[in-house]
Amino acid sequence: MTRILATVLALGVAGTAVAQSDGGVVYGDDRVQAYIGVMEIDDETGELQNDTGEPVDIDFANLLALGIEVETPFRSRDKGLEIGVNAGGGFSWKGDDTEFAGKIDEDGGTAVFKIDNEMWILEAHIGGYIRGHIGKSADFYFGAGPAIIFAQHDVDDDDIDDDAMPSPTDATIILGDDSSSDIILGYYARTGIEFDLGAGRQWGIGIRYLGGELDFDDTVGEFDLKGFQALITYSAWY
């Protein structure tokens, strides 16, 4: 825990991840990458967990994503191809505007409506990575492996927008005031490019993918988590 806190502080102050010795830069053992971005979850089909269990198409709003990646190389930073272990974790959330579409009557009519809800995802992972150095100016990297994913979905029916509710009045869709969570073993993949800032620091752009099968058994049931994250990154040696 002390090491993690020290890592976060190091990323917050430029240059703290490197030290000077005899006029040269001395690198730490690990490259620590902080990222911020947006996570988009693919549209999925679920089932409302009520008495009749209507199927619904789910379009989750984009989630804000924050996280840290730690790369521990097996080979020196000066080598053309760097291989090592990648561990890290991330947190994504969004507080409103999950969109549902579902059957509202016996004739097969549908309605699209929004509810006040909260969804968040917490994940930790470990895997391998490969980083290729293009001289001293830029790096390409790729990493992947298993991930432990915890997600929670809360629905608050007190704040449903009445103007967006389905019609006719005998619609069968029911949204309960409830919450549901699940923890699963999923997977992640990450790739990107970073550019040299000097003194062992880099900035870049990247993409992460998070996948697995979640079961929100009190709200929308089972669906496949397929989430892409578009990121801005900052890396430094620690």
Side-chain angles (χ1 to χ4, degrees), residues 72-139:
T72 303
F74 295 147
R75 302 178 63 182
S76 169
R77 165 66 175 87
D78 297 328
K79 301 294 184 181
L81 184 63
E82 181 182 314
I83 301 172
V85 175
N86 166 212
F91 180 57
S92 305
W93 77 95
K94 176 66 178 179
D96 56 13
D97 291 344
T98 294
E99 187 175 275
F100 295 82
K103 180 180 177 180
I104 63 170
D105 56 38
E106 294 181 355
D107 296 329
T110 61
V112 175
F113 54 98
K114 294 182 178 181
I115 62 173
D116 184 30
N117 77 101
E118 180 176 324
M119 180 176 178
W120 56 274
I121 300 171
L122 180 66
E123 54 96 4
H125 57 263
I126 187 168
Y129 80 94
I130 298 175
R131 183 177 284 258
H133 307 301
I134 306 173
K136 295 184 178 180
S137 60
D139 289 354

Side-chain angles (χ1 to χ4, degrees), residues 49 180-182 184 213-218 221-223:
Q49 304 303 287
S180 189
S181 62
D182 195 15
I184 62 170
E213 185 173 301
L214 290 167
D215 185 1
F216 291 148
D217 55 8
D218 292 323
E222 295 182 0
F223 71 93

Side-chain angles (χ1 to χ4, degrees), residues 7-25:
T7 296
V8 174
L9 291 174
L11 287 168
V13 181
T16 57
V18 296
Q20 298 292 329
S21 175
D22 299 327
V25 177

Side-chain angles (χ1 to χ4, degrees), residues 2 6 19 40 54 68 72 75 108 118 127 148 156 173 179 183-184 188 193 212-214 218 229:
T2 301
E40 180 179 359
E54 293 87 354
I68 288 180
T72 303
R75 302 178 63 182
E118 180 176 324
I148 297 175
D156 186 356
I173 285 181
S179 66
I183 183 168
I184 62 170
Y188 81 99
I193 183 172
E213 185 173 301
L214 290 167
D218 292 323
Q229 299 173 340

